[in-house]
Amino acid sequence: MRKELRLDPQFVRKLRNDLLKKFANDNDALAAFPAGDRVQCHVLSLFKRVDSNIDGATKLLFRTSAGMLIESVILRIATGRTTLCVSSQVGCAAACDFCATGKMGIAQNLTPAEILDQVFQAGQLLAAENRRLDNIVFMGMGEPFHNEQNLHETLQILTASHMFDRSPSTILVSTVGVHDAMLRCAERFPLVNLALSLHSVDQETRKTIIPLARKHPLNELQETLRQVNKLQQREVMIEYLMLAGVNDSSDNASQLAVWLDGIQAHVNLIPYNPIDDAPHLTGTDRDQISAFADILKKAGRKTTVRYSLGNDIAAACGQLVRKENRDKAIQDHKFSRQS
Ligand code: SAH
């Protein structure tokens, strides 16, 4: 467009800086741009915004141009920092037993523009509140490494100095555990943080809650983590969902400590958010989570318990979108019967 309109590259640079780095609002940024009326800033439309009444969480539901709903969550943490949780896919093929997204029955990749627009729109919303966006985590809908090429392109654009110019160490990619893709990411983006959703160190148990564990068994993942450590020279995050009677005993804690031996990692214990589609699963109570954490800490392992925000607006990740999609499907069905 720049060439077509014979624009001064300076204008384009300024527009990019205003929008992607400062998160200026569209009208202000475009007012100073010669071809402002020809610029389409967004690929996602905001379908619904839900603010928590109890803490600093905001859920954003976006509609893609294909008409699918995805969600992003802004977490205004009490420390003053702000994290954005982004989606990388609509639905997810990993189909984990405890996850609402996996129960959607679809898996479609989001384009880099669709992932980046979540950052862009959330950044604009925060800038209007005079808040900075500090961290970006790929912990929304989808398995980022099932959308690897688009993920890499997104990370490239997020960290490029002439684009979003974000520090790679403020970005975290969470995965169910895809060996080759984890290594490729660690190699190409050694400063981007990796998190592995481990959830159990017993292969049989892990297979029952994460079907993909069949393809990527625990002994392979142990090797993956060692290699990732070598490539990154930094800790990986181990996510461990606390499910009552499944993976939360004292023995399980000791086994986890042993399993992680020699691996540079800190453990983040995640309280389970119950989902409608998994009535057989319940979360571990607070006291048992603390006891589990203590065993890990005594074994010398850095351990934190995830502070969960937005319980009133979110239930679990993916639930709201699933409900909206279902409502839409019912409406579409009614409409097609009427016409
Ligand atoms: N597919 C990626 C990223 C998306 S899920 C992954 O598996 O890591 C982000 C995190 O939320 C994962 O650790 C996942 O296991 C966890 N999670 C999924 N459903 C949950 C639920 N109902 N309650 C709490 N955490 C959940």
Side-chain angles (χ1 to χ4, degrees):
M1 182 174 87
R2 181 175 74 75
K3 283 198 184 122
E4 195 186 306
L5 297 175
R6 295 176 198 283
L7 287 179
D8 187 332
Q10 228 175 299
F11 282 123
V12 179
R13 204 175 313 127
K14 179 164 179 351
L15 182 67
R16 251 197 328 239
N17 280 345
D18 286 349
L19 289 175
L20 306 185
K21 292 181 195 165
K22 296 185 194 151
F23 293 133
N25 80 47
D26 297 350
N27 290 341
D28 290 349
L30 293 176
F33 190 71
D37 54 336
R38 312 252 318 240
V39 179
Q40 177 72 38
C41 289
H42 302 286
V43 291
L44 298 175
S45 61
L46 184 62
F47 169 72
K48 195 174 194 168
R49 168 182 172 164
V50 194
D51 293 291
S52 167
N53 287 317
I54 55 172
D55 55 39
T58 296
K59 187 160 271 217
L60 302 174
L61 269 77
F62 293 108
R63 198 182 281 294
T64 67
S65 52
M68 304 304 282
L69 287 182
I70 56 165
E71 68 184 19
S72 316
V73 185
I74 295 173
L75 303 159
R76 299 175 194 79
I77 301 161
T79 57
R81 296 185 73 77
T82 306
T83 294
L84 175 69
C85 176
V86 294
S87 294
S88 55
Q89 295 185 306
V90 181
C92 184
C96 300
D97 195 25
F98 46 80
C99 178
T101 307
K103 306 272 184 190
M104 272 187 210
I106 33 165
Q108 287 173 11
N109 287 336
L110 295 180
T111 62
E114 287 165 339
I115 303 173
L116 291 163
D117 202 17
Q118 297 171 59
V119 176
F120 183 19
Q121 294 202 35
Q124 287 181 313
L125 190 154
L126 287 166
E129 297 171 13
N130 282 323
R131 269 188 100 97
R132 255 205 359 236
L133 172 58
D134 299 297
N135 298 304
I136 298 168
V137 297
F138 285 79
M139 288 191 187
M141 297 162 63
E143 168 48 44
F145 290 133
H146 285 167
N147 188 12
E148 191 181 359
Q149 208 182 336
N150 289 344
L151 172 75
H152 280 208
E153 204 174 309
T154 301
L155 293 175
Q156 191 62 48
I157 295 171
L158 282 176
T159 53
S161 57
H162 67 292
M163 300 297 268
F164 285 81
D165 196 23
R166 305 194 71 86
S167 155
S169 60
T170 63
I171 302 171
L172 180 141
V173 177
S174 175
T175 176
V176 71
V178 183
H179 175 81
D180 294 354
M182 286 174 76
L183 293 184
R184 283 191 291 266
C185 186
E187 196 156 27
R188 181 159 172 203
F189 303 100
L191 295 174
V192 168
N193 298 289
L194 281 179
L196 170 65
S197 296
L198 187 60
H199 306 337
S200 172
V201 293
D202 175 70
Q203 175 65 10
E204 284 311 307
T205 308
R206 194 164 188 269
K207 269 188 339 201
T208 62
I209 50 176
I210 305 177
L212 212 73
R214 272 169 232 282
K215 204 166 157 197
H216 300 286
L218 280 168
N219 52 356
E220 179 193 273
L221 286 180
Q222 231 168 2
E223 191 45 38
T224 316
L225 293 177
R226 292 206 178 94
Q227 293 183 26
V228 163
N229 275 168
K230 274 199 196 119
L231 290 164
Q232 291 196 313
Q233 308 288 341
R234 58 175 36 222
E235 279 178 349
V236 292
M237 183 198 278
I238 297 295
E239 294 168 281
Y240 195 98
L241 185 61
M242 298 296 292
L243 295 169
V246 176
N247 62 358
D248 66 342
S249 70
S250 309
D251 282 351
N252 294 146
S254 308
Q255 286 150 5
L256 174 59
V258 171
W259 194 87
L260 288 172
D261 212 26
I263 292 170
Q264 256 184 288
H266 69 272
V267 177
N268 194 225
L269 300 177
I270 313 178
Y272 172 59
N273 261 320
I275 63 165
D276 300 343
D277 289 288
H280 53 290
L281 295 176
T282 45
T284 305
D285 65 47
R286 281 265 150 199
D287 289 347
Q288 178 59 20
I289 296 181
S290 302
F292 195 97
D294 286 343
I295 295 171
L296 289 166
K297 285 182 203 161
K298 279 209 186 88
R301 185 57 61 185
K302 194 158 99 189
T303 307
T304 47
V305 179
R306 181 165 298 171
Y307 174 55
S308 154
L309 288 182
N311 281 338
D312 60 327
I313 54 166
C317 209
Q319 293 225 74
L320 202 51
V321 164
R322 189 151 192 266
K323 184 183 170 306
E324 294 291 348
N325 276 339
R326 206 166 27 210
D327 290 353
K328 180 175 180 289
I330 292 167
Q331 260 173 14
D332 288 353
H333 182 66
K334 270 196 205 139
F335 183 72
S336 68
R337 279 186 17 188
Q338 275 165 7
S339 56

